[in-house]
C-alpha cells in the first residue's frame, strides 16, 4: 500500500512470495520443521514464537505452507524436467519413524539439480514419475535396492554403499584378518578405477581395456571368498558372504565400472 504506483498495483518485494507479508526464510523454516523434522503445526508455531518472536496462528501457518507449495510448484516441475535430461542422476531413499508414523525421503541429484521427495512410496511408480523410462537415457547411480534393478539402460552401483559394508566388517571384527585384507584390496581397486576414470589420455579402447583389467582383479579378489549363505553362519559371516555375492552379481551385470567408461 505504501509503494503502490499510479495504477494501484504494488511492486513485488524480493524474497516475499505473492500475497504474503513474510519473507521466504520464514516459510522455509516453517516447512523444514514441519516436513523434515516432523513436528506438528502447533509446535512449529511455538518454535517460531520462541526463537523468532513471531506470533503465528496455526491456521496462518497452514496457509503459508499451502502458499509455498503453490509458489514452488512450477520450479519443481522444471527441476524434474531437467533431471530427466541429465547425463548422470544419483538417487537414494531412506525411511524413519516418528512415534508410530512412518516417514520416507527419496533424493535425486544431477550436477546442477537436487530434488527431495518426502512421504512418497518407495516403489517403481514413484521412480517412473521422476525418471520416466521413455525419457531418461542417462546413467543412474544407486545402491542395490530391488526398485533400481533392470530399470535403466545404463547403471552404476554406488561404491560408497559397497565400501561401507566392507569397512564396517573390518572395524567390528579386527581379529578377522580376512576382512581387513579384503577391504585393503577392494579400496586399492576402487582408487585405481578412479585414476583410470580421471585419465584424459585414455580413449574408448583404452578405457575398455582398463575396465577388463579391473573386472579381472575383482574376480580374483571375490572368487576365493565366494560361498552361499547358510543358517549355520555367524551374522558377520553372512554379511561378508552377502557382500561378496553382491559384488559378483553387480560385476556380471556390468554396473560397477560404468564411471570409468563414461
Amino acid at each position: 500500500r505504501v509503494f503502490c504506483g499510479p495504477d494501484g498495483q504494488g511492486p513485488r518485494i524480493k524474497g516475499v512470495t505473492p500475497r504474503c507479508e513474510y519473507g521466504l526464510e520464514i516459510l522455509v523454516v516453517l516447512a523444514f520443521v514441519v516436513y523434515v523434522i516432523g513436528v506438528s503445526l502447533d509446535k512449529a508455531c511455538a518454535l517460531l514464537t520462541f526463537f523468532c518472536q513471531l506470533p503465528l496462528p496455526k491456521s496462518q501457518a497452514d496457509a503459508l505452507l499451502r502458499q509455498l507449495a503453490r509458489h514452488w510448484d512450477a520450479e519443481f516441475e522444471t527441476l524434474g524436467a531437467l533431471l530427466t535430461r541429465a547425463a548422470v542422476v544419483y538417487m537414494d531413499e531412506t525411511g524413519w519413524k516418528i512415534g508410530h508414523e512412518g516417514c520416507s525421503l527419496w533424493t535425486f541429484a544431477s550436477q546442477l539439480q537436487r530434488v527431495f521427495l518426502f512421504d512418497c512410496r518407495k516403489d517403481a511408480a514413484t521412480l517412473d514419475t521422476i525418471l520416466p523410462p521413455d525419457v531418461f537415457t542417462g546413467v543412474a547411480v544407486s545402491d542395490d535396492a530391488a526398485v533400481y534393478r533392470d530399470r535403466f539402460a545404463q547403471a552404476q552401483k554406488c561404491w560408497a554403499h559397497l565400501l561401507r559394508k566392507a569397512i564396517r566388517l573390518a572395524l567390528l571384527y579386527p581379529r578377522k584378518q580376512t576382512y581387513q585384507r579384503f577391504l585393503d584390496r577392494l579400496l586399492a581397486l576402487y582408487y585405481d578405477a578412479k585414476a583410470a576414470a580421471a585419465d584424459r589420455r585414455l580413449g574408448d579402447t583404452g578405457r575398455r581395456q582398463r575396465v577388463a583389467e579391473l573386472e579381472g582383479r575383482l574376480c580374483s579378489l571375490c572368487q576365493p571368498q565366494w560361498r552361499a549363505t547358510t543358517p549355520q553362519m555367524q551374522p558377520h559371516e553372512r554379511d561378508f558372504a552377502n557382500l561378496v555375492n553382491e559384488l559378483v552379481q553387480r560385476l556380471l551385470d556390468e554396473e560397477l565400472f560404468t564411471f570409468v567408461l563414461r
Side-chain angles (χ1 to χ4, degrees):
R1 289 194 297 272
V2 174
F3 298 101
C4 275
D7 56 358
Q9 297 295 320
R12 287 293 307 279
I13 302 173
K14 188 175 182 180
V16 176
T17 55
R19 301 183 63 187
C20 181
E21 58 188 297
Y22 298 113
L24 191 62
E25 70 279 2
I26 296 295
L27 278 66
V28 171
V29 168
L30 180 62
F32 181 82
V33 296
V34 172
Y35 295 126
V36 180
I37 299 180
V39 305
S40 66
L41 273 179
D42 290 320
K43 292 181 179 179
C45 293
L47 287 171
L48 288 172
T49 300
F50 181 80
F51 288 106
C52 306
Q53 291 78 53
L54 178 64
L56 195 66
K58 180 179 178 180
S59 59
Q60 191 175 26
D62 182 65
L64 289 177
L65 290 178
R66 293 177 183 274
Q67 186 182 68
L68 184 64
R70 290 194 300 270
H71 181 62
W72 276 348
D73 187 60
E75 283 83 352
F76 182 82
E77 294 296 329
T78 302
L79 285 173
L82 291 171
L83 271 180
T84 62
R85 288 158 178 80
V88 181
V89 174
Y90 303 84
M91 59 202 75
D92 200 5
E93 79 293 330
T94 189
W96 67 97
K97 280 193 173 184
I98 299 177
H100 297 291
E101 182 180 0
C103 304
S104 64
L105 168 67
W106 208 334
T107 65
F108 299 86
S110 65
Q111 184 176 9
L112 299 176
Q113 289 82 37
R114 303 288 186 274
V115 170
F116 299 86
L117 291 182
F118 290 95
D119 289 337
C120 58
R121 295 182 63 87
K122 296 180 289 185
D123 57 11
T126 304
L127 190 58
D128 287 346
T129 300
I130 299 298
L131 297 175
D134 58 334
V135 178
F136 177 65
T137 58
V139 178
V141 184
S142 69
D143 61 13
D144 197 29
V147 70
Y148 301 123
R149 293 176 189 165
D150 303 320
R151 298 191 60 82
F152 303 104
Q154 301 179 86
Q156 168 67 58
K157 291 309 171 189
C158 175
W159 274 87
H161 283 81
L162 297 168
L163 292 171
R164 185 171 61 194
K165 297 174 182 178
I167 292 170
R168 176 180 177 275
L169 288 169
L171 289 176
L172 291 180
Y173 304 95
R175 295 184 179 181
K176 292 283 186 180
Q177 293 300 312
T178 300
Y179 298 163
Q180 185 62 55
R181 286 194 296 267
F182 187 86
L183 171 61
D184 291 341
R185 293 180 62 186
L186 190 63
L187 281 171
L189 192 151
Y190 173 62
Y191 291 145
D192 289 346
K194 286 186 65 178
D199 191 346
R200 295 174 179 250
R201 299 170 300 175
L202 294 176
D204 291 342
T205 301
R207 291 186 179 278
R208 286 194 293 269
Q209 290 175 347
R210 289 293 180 85
V211 167
E213 295 169 2
L214 292 166
E215 290 176 340
R217 286 171 57 187
L218 187 58
C219 283
S220 299
L221 174 61
C222 292
Q223 186 175 10
Q225 309 298 337
W226 185 90
R227 54 177 171 163
T229 58
T230 63
Q232 292 75 29
M233 283 182 171
Q234 296 292 327
H236 63 88
E237 294 175 333
R238 188 176 299 108
D239 290 341
F240 184 60
N242 286 334
L243 172 59
V244 173
N245 295 344
E246 182 179 356
L247 284 166
V248 171
Q249 186 58 56
R250 300 292 74 81
L251 180 63
L252 294 174
D253 294 338
E254 299 182 345
E255 294 180 347
L256 289 180
F257 300 108
T258 307
F259 74 100
V260 179
L261 298 172
R262 295 291 304 274

